[in-house]
Amino acid sequence: MERYNASFSVQILGLEEHLDGLKIIHVAGTKGKGSTCAFCEAILRECGFQTGLFTSPHLIDVRERFRINGLDISEDKFLLYFWDCWNQLKEKVTEHLPMPPLFQFLTVLAFKIFICEKVDVAIIEVGLGGKRDSTNVIEKPVVCGITSLGMDHTETLGNTLREIASHKAGIFKPQIPAFTVSQLSEAMDAILQRAHELKVPLKVAAPLDNKNLDGLKLSLSGDHQFINAGLAVSLCKCWLQRTGNWEKLFQNEADLPGSFLRGLSTAQISGRAQIVYDTYSEPNNSLKLSATSCGDLIFYLDGAHSPESMEVCAKWFSSAVKGNKKSSSSFKVEYLEEVWGNGHIQHELGSMEESEKQLKQILLFNCMDVRDPQILLPRLVSTCASSGTYFAKALFVPSMSAYNKVTSGASIIPSDVCGRDLSWQFYLQRLWEKIIHGKEVGTFHDKGARMDNAIILPPHEFLYEDASHCSPEDNYFACSAVMPSLPLTIKWLRDCVKENPSIKVQVLVTGSLHLVGDVLKLLKR
């Protein structure tokens, strides 16, 4: 239905002929879609091409979904194209042809932007599934890709891996080359069947070998990124060959040209394996960053929300905090880094003796109620534990963003949290305590985060408590807390760190890209 309705929108906007002329890389999958697309965009931009990248969701501002040559589209251009599309579609609204829903509108808006901006290549990430996705109005892509598959969106795509894979392979077009990565046999069988039906030349892309990077590092963290990078390299090579550019550019170059290496080492994607060292302004001195806060509060952000991506997230977090401990235990830090968006680094002076600090790993979690936290949270805990990483506390918090709302970076952060329904967060908390203690621990509420006539946060001592004393007693959850709002949670964490200079707090933010985006918005203010 989405694809069918999107085709009407494309017709109304007069984009059909132009859409066929866009030289598109179309990417579907369960996990790694965004990373693969980011790698493709960076590689081809480094090769000298004008690039357009359409991804979802956005974390802070809707313009993040539309990148031109590696940068979010400007506000002026976005508004110009937005209202042009909106007004044309509005004129054609009838009882049987209403305005397109959000994602469908944003998809055709992306096509409009890339066509008008005359990009050389458009990299398009599928929104949901593939077969019926709005992006599947693309009839003549240059090449298609399918990233790693897993059980996600089962309410829409089906309850088996085979059904899900069949939906994803729905982006294949007759005789158009396609690449995928190693999949479980159930998924691979469905992909192969669809490829056979459409006579699609299908190849399995091997993970990138670290030895081929010539000493450089992938800009996106985690071992799983070598799988995504390998797929991106195959997609870009195929795109270059089919557009007649490979021979022209790389006739005598090695298997992995320098421009590919530069792209792989500079690609950016927010909210996936992203580390942010918190810095903020003191109320009494807005021009000076608080030196006492720098480096003592670190946010590890990853929008994992499927069982497979949660496992990857846990492995990355465990590796990252171990690396931090190793690098900070043997010398006095003179400079601390605030890392934004994989590679943008700002230095701030610090002078604490890092070896004296006590490290505390904290979980900041929320997920949409269509997810299954009974799978996500145990997977997170067990994978971290297998690497020797244990959470001192878990904080369950509502997101600020409405899931169906397009927000901009200038959106006002809601301050009224009285009366907010936190029943989902209390459910997550009870589930967490059951996982930690191996048994049901009752249905009482955490006395540190009641929602009645007043907003009550846990005392700072709650964070300082030794995790070894974490046992529920006296109607008190000692391992976790439900927090009334995200802005209050960030302030509470900052206050805890300021009050106790002997601790360094490492916060894993995961379970929802909406939550990750909201945290980024708060930290950037």
Side-chain angles (χ1 to χ4, degrees), residues 261-283:
L261 294 174
R262 289 193 299 275
L264 291 168
S265 62
T266 58
Q268 297 177 32
I269 184 165
S270 293
R272 276 85 162 183
Q274 183 178 4
I275 302 174
V276 177
Y277 285 72
D278 186 40
T279 56
Y280 60 93
S281 300
E282 292 284 15

Side-chain angles (χ1 to χ4, degrees), residues 149-155 157-167 186-187 190:
L149 298 181
M151 299 297 290
D152 196 20
H153 296 294
T154 53
E155 74 284 354
L157 304 180
N159 294 314
T160 69
L161 198 53
R162 184 178 187 89
E163 288 177 297
I164 290 171
S166 180
H167 270 278
E186 188 180 356

Side-chain angles (χ1 to χ4, degrees), residues 381-500:
V381 171
S382 61
T383 306
C384 282
S386 67
S387 301
T389 300
Y390 301 91
F391 293 100
K393 306 290 175 183
L395 307 176
F396 299 98
V397 62
S399 299
M400 299 185 305
S401 302
Y403 295 129
N404 60 349
K405 185 178 179 183
V406 176
T407 58
S408 75
S411 298
I412 296 172
I413 296 173
S415 57
D416 179 18
V417 296
C418 292
R420 179 173 289 175
D421 181 9
L422 295 175
S423 56
W424 177 250
Q425 281 68 40
F426 281 117
Y427 166 70
L428 294 173
Q429 181 190 31
R430 292 194 297 273
L431 179 59
W432 176 263
E433 294 282 336
K434 180 181 178 182
I435 295 165
I436 297 301
H437 301 291
K439 60 181 180 180
E440 294 284 353
V441 291
T443 58
F444 50 84
H445 284 179
D446 179 354
K447 69 182 181 184
R450 294 196 307 272
M451 290 297 291
D452 40 38
N453 293 328
I455 298 166
I456 302 175
L457 291 162
H460 295 168
E461 288 71 25
F462 170 78
L463 188 67
Y464 309 147
E465 290 169 349
D466 191 334
S468 64
H469 299 138
C470 183
S471 62
E473 56 187 21
D474 300 326
N475 271 9
Y476 177 48
F477 282 162
C479 295
S480 60
V482 168
M483 309 295 276
S485 80
L486 191 55
L488 287 173
T489 304
I490 301 296
K491 182 181 184 304
W492 181 81
L493 285 166
R494 285 171 168 167
D495 289 344
C496 286
V497 169
K498 277 175 23 179
E499 186 178 294
N500 189 344

